[in-house]
């Protein structure tokens, strides 16, 4: 589902990822871990094409991303739901509208959108906050709106960057439960986290990064 | 992804444009008013040009050349001269005015003071022919060539026409047209630029939002469409404001000012053209927006 072959990515003054190779199979739930600055976010950004690799090949869902033009990128991104580290919620739109956005950009009609969004908000336990603006929601609630937006279109892949961020343990485990639930439906999930607690007894594959190097492929 | 299609949602695009129009209402209002002012000035410039056109178009119809005949020509010679004039293809009409008729006309003109003329024992006025020429021939060089042709006809003493008048009218006309064209070009460019800048500002103010939309998988078309629509609507609003402005101006000139400045009474209003102001506004709005969107890299 996701293939990295000798991927290197450098920013102006530092190399974020060095010669990375790994495979993530369809339906897997994989954790990427490592200290802050290890390159976890960069790895996810390469997957959703917010960044392009300097060297190496990346294959997403069978598509060699190097061959994609700018106008193809939107269509590939529609196979990927992203839970951004900084949320990226639109501040002037309600929880409903923020989630609906993922469907509206696809040109879906409002009559189809409404039941899908409401169902997804129910799944993340936010049905009662449908009309709230992000500023009126707690951190955990905002996080769940972001997850709802990422999964509402039923993408093949969900990428979650620090989905439990600074949340308390109870809220964190609630969020992990949602992610496991959608993984159980067949969605491939990649979670980047520096939170060691999350990795305990997961029984899932863990990719450990440090200073842009892959320490352990877990397979 | 069931039920997920790839068509653009027109109602949603419209909603986004309306939201943005309202959210940035002050910028948008100011732009629309600037556009309105530009269009208004353009309409005024066009009206003035239109009136100059009318004035100069009527002129050739009234334009006559007076051909003076030599003294003491026989009736036959006079007939020959007149038919010689009529034979010229540029001539539309030729009216013979005899010495006596000329005197009568002069007397009628002088009315109460015609006693001045009583003392003359001999009629000093020459016989003449008033020649009207085809409209197309009314231009300074063509009239000069024509009068030379007439002078060559036997029995003709002299040819007189308003050379100075003709050439100065010509100069006014082409000067006004040049200035008018320049004003219109500058204003069009200015208005388009206002739309361009407005859309660009709106775009930059939504940069974060646009980035998010892109990361969610929105196409460039989906992101651009509301801005183009918004630019068009701002232009349209400007055009409508200009239309009401020009209506107000017309009222002011024809009702209030014309009684003070009589010349304005004969001012012609190209009202049919005024209805195109909103169309022009819409057009420059769309154009400005498209340029802005086309130049943006995202
Ligand atoms: N946009 C950027 N410009 C320059 N350097 C960056 C940028 N993004 C990340 N980096 C650098 O790349 C390295 C990896 O960052 P990141 O992938 O965000 O790590 P992590 O998510 O594991 O904390 C860090 O040294 C960071 O400073
Ligand atoms: Mg990070």
């Amino acid at each position: 589902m996701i293939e990295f072959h000798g991927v290197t990515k450098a920013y102006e003054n530092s190399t974020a990822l060095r010669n990375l190779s790994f495979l993530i199979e369809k339906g897997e739930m994989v954790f990427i871990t490592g200290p802050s600055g290890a390159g976890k976010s960069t790895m996810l950004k390469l997957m959703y094409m917010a960044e392009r690799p300097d060297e190496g090949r990346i294959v997403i869902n069978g598509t060699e991303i190097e061959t994609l033009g700018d106008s193809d990128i939107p269509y590939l991104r529609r196979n990927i739901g992203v839970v951004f580290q900084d949320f990226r919620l639109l501040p002037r739109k309600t929880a409903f509208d923020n989630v609906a956005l993922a469907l509206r950009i696809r040109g879906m009609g409002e009559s189809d959108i409404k039941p899908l969004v409401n169902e997804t908000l129910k799944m993340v336990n936010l049905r009662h906050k449908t009309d709230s603006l992000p500023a009126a929601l707690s951190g955990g609630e905002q996080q769940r709106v972001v997850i709802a937006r990422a999964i509402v279109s039923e993408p093949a892949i969900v990428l979650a960057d620090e989905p439990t961020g600074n949340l308390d343990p109870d809220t964190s485990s609630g969020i992990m439960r949602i992610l496991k639930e959608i993984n159980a439906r067949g969605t491939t999930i990649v979670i980047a986290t520096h939170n060691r607690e999350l990795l305990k007894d997961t029984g899932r594959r863990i990719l450990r990064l440090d200073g842009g190097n892959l320490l352990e492929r877990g397979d | 992804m069931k039920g997920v299609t790839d068509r653009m949602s027109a109602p949603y695009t419209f909603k986004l444009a309306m939201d943005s129009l309202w959210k940035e209402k002050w910028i948008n209002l100011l732009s629309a008013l600037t556009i309105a002012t530009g269009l208004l000035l353009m309409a005024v410039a066009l009206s003035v040009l239109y009136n100059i056109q009318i004035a100069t178009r009527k002129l050739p119809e009234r334009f006559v050349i007076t051909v003076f005949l030599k003294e003491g020509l026989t009736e036959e010679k006079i007939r020959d001269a007149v038919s010689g004039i009529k034979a010229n293809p540029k001539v539309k009409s030729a009216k013979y005015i005899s010495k006596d008729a000329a005197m009568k006309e002069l007397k009628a003109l002088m009315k109460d003071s015609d006693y001045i003329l009583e003392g003359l024992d001999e009629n000093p006025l020459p016989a003449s022919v008033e020649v009207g020429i085809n409209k197309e021939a009314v231009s300074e060089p063509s009239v000069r060539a024509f009068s030379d042709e007439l002078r060559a006809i036997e029995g003709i003493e002299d040819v007189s026409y308003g050379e100075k008048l003709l050439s100065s009218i010509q100069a006014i006309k082409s000067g006004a047209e040049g200035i008018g064209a320049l004003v219109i070009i500058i204003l069009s460019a200015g208005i388009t630029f206002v739309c361009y800048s407005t859309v660009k500002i709106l775009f930059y103010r939504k940069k974060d939002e646009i980035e998010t939309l892109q990361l969610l998988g929105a196409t460039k078309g989906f992101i651009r469409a509301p801005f183009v629509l918004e630019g068009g609507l701002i232009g349209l609003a400007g055009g409508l404001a200009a239309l009401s402005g020009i209506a107000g101006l017309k009222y002011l000139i024809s009702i209030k000012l014309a009684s003070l400045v009589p010349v304005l009474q004969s001012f012609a209003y190209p009202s049919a053209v005024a209805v195109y102001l909103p169309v022009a506004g819409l057009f420059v709005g769309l154009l400005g927006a498209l340029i802005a969107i086309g130049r943006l890299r995202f």
Side-chain angles (χ1 to χ4, degrees):
Chain A
M1 201 62 167
I2 301 170
E3 304 174 25
F4 274 48
H5 300 282
V7 172
T8 295
K9 172 69 190 172
Y11 295 108
E12 302 88 61
N13 37 27
S14 67
T15 302
L17 296 175
R18 259 179 266 269
N19 194 23
L20 236 61
S21 298
F22 61 87
L23 297 179
I24 295 174
E25 301 290 341
K26 186 174 186 326
E28 257 197 291
M29 180 162 174
V30 176
F31 288 87
I32 300 167
T33 190
S36 177
K40 304 182 293 294
S41 295
T42 302
M43 210 159 119
L44 295 188
K45 281 176 185 165
L46 288 168
M47 293 176 190
Y48 62 83
M49 280 154 294
E51 298 287 354
R52 294 269 194 161
D54 297 320
E55 279 171 43
R57 293 167 45 226
I58 298 175
V59 181
I60 306 284
N61 207 4
T63 307
E64 189 86 44
I65 68 159
E66 207 178 337
T67 65
L68 292 178
D70 279 355
S71 58
D72 301 319
I73 290 178
Y75 301 101
L76 194 81
R77 281 187 180 148
R78 292 180 191 184
N79 298 314
I80 306 171
V82 184
V83 179
F84 301 100
Q85 186 167 9
D86 54 356
F87 296 172
R88 292 194 162 272
L89 290 172
L90 304 190
R92 298 170 57 92
K93 295 205 184 295
T94 63
F96 181 95
D97 282 333
N98 266 290
V99 176
L101 204 56
L103 301 174
R104 285 177 177 147
I105 58 142
R106 290 166 158 83
M108 194 186 271
E110 292 300 313
S111 54
D112 297 329
I113 287 175
K114 203 167 179 192
L116 269 175
V117 172
N118 283 332
E119 189 192 314
T120 311
L121 282 172
K122 200 162 121 195
M123 184 179 165
V124 298
N125 226 336
L126 278 179
R127 190 68 182 82
H128 57 297
K129 298 282 188 178
T130 300
D131 297 325
S132 302
L133 291 174
L137 299 172
S138 72
E141 287 167 340
Q142 288 182 24
Q143 186 68 268
R144 280 180 282 154
V145 175
V146 180
I147 291 173
R149 186 181 61 189
I151 66 177
V152 70
S153 60
E154 299 182 22
I157 302 169
V158 169
L159 308 176
D161 198 351
E162 308 284 1
T164 58
N166 303 312
L167 304 176
D168 60 79
D170 281 351
T171 316
S172 294
S173 59
I175 280 166
M176 287 313 294
R177 205 177 315 120
I178 297 166
L179 290 173
K180 278 176 194 158
E181 210 176 308
I182 52 174
N183 174 242
R185 296 181 185 181
T187 310
T188 308
I189 300 194
V190 182
I191 299 167
T193 182
H194 66 270
N195 185 349
R196 287 163 201 275
E197 288 297 313
L198 283 189
L199 307 173
K200 276 186 185 158
D201 314 316
T202 54
R204 313 279 184 166
R205 199 146 66 96
I206 298 169
L207 301 177
R208 291 185 200 279
L209 275 179
D210 197 3
N213 297 298
L214 196 54
L215 300 182
E216 187 185 335
R217 287 165 65 168
D219 54 7
Chain B
M1 272 175 288
K2 9 178 219 281
V4 172
T5 56
D6 182 39
R7 73 201 138 77
M8 297 259 290
S9 151
Y12 191 62
T13 294
F14 188 73
K15 187 183 175 295
L16 283 180
M18 294 318 273
D19 282 355
S20 175
L21 276 175
W22 176 247
K23 186 184 157 210
E24 305 286 359
K25 50 191 168 298
W26 298 115
I27 294 177
N28 294 333
L29 186 67
L30 205 65
S31 308
L33 287 177
T34 310
I35 292 161
T37 311
L39 285 172
L40 196 71
L41 288 174
M42 231 154 103
V44 169
L46 275 172
S47 302
V48 171
L49 270 187
Y50 179 67
N51 277 274
I52 289 173
Q53 284 287 345
I54 289 177
T56 51
R57 201 175 326 122
K58 278 184 189 153
L59 203 79
E61 281 155 23
R62 298 198 195 124
F63 188 79
V64 286
I65 296 171
T66 309
V67 177
F68 299 105
L69 300 179
K70 290 199 171 114
E71 285 291 323
L73 291 181
T74 62
E75 290 231 352
E76 203 187 336
K77 283 265 170 66
I78 290 171
R79 255 200 308 278
D80 286 350
V82 173
S83 53
I85 292 168
K86 278 183 175 164
N88 193 306
K90 288 178 190 165
V91 173
K92 193 173 64 181
S93 65
K95 184 180 159 210
Y96 172 67
I97 296 163
S98 68
K99 286 173 73 85
D100 292 346
M103 185 49 101
K104 228 184 250 167
E105 221 173 271
L106 185 63
K107 278 185 175 162
L109 214 64
M110 296 184 70
K111 256 189 240 157
D112 301 331
S113 41
D114 61 353
Y115 56 87
I116 294 171
L117 302 172
E118 296 293 329
L120 299 169
D121 6 309
E122 209 182 311
N123 182 353
L125 298 175
S128 63
V129 182
E130 270 182 12
V131 180
I133 61 174
N134 291 324
K135 262 193 251 176
E136 307 78 59
V138 182
S139 75
E140 226 262 318
S142 141
V143 169
R144 192 179 322 125
F146 176 62
S147 60
D148 287 343
E149 286 166 29
L150 292 184
R151 278 195 189 96
I153 296 171
E154 207 195 321
I156 287 174
E157 172 80 44
D158 198 8
V159 176
S160 141
Y161 63 94
E163 288 124 311
K164 281 256 172 61
L165 185 69
L166 200 60
S167 59
S168 55
I169 283 168
Q170 212 74 42
I172 289 172
K173 190 181 164 201
S174 47
E177 277 169 358
I179 293 169
L182 200 69
V183 166
I184 287 165
I185 289 168
I186 291 172
L187 285 174
S188 311
I191 297 168
T192 309
F193 183 74
V194 170
C195 288
Y196 162 80
S197 318
T198 307
V199 169
K200 218 166 147 174
I201 291 169
L202 294 173
F203 200 88
Y204 281 122
R205 290 180 74 143
K206 291 178 97 178
K207 203 129 184 55
D208 284 347
E209 192 175 326
I210 287 163
E211 215 180 303
T212 302
L213 287 172
Q214 282 183 286
L215 291 173
L216 294 178
T219 57
K220 281 193 177 181
F222 180 89
I223 291 167
R224 286 171 168 173
F227 289 99
V228 176
L229 186 61
E230 202 175 343
L233 288 173
I234 292 169
L236 182 65
L240 289 170
L243 183 61
S244 48
I246 206 87
L249 212 59
K250 180 182 171 183
Y251 169 81
L252 214 68
I253 292 173
S254 61
I255 309 289
K256 302 282 179 193
L257 229 60
S259 55
L260 301 174
V261 190
V263 143
L264 291 174
Q265 275 162 8
S266 57
F267 195 85
Y269 302 91
S271 309
V273 178
V275 302
Y276 289 111
L277 280 173
V279 180
L282 180 69
F283 179 76
V284 291
L286 289 174
L287 183 68
L290 284 171
I291 296 172
I293 294 300
R295 286 175 55 97
L296 289 164
R297 291 278 154 265
F298 64 94

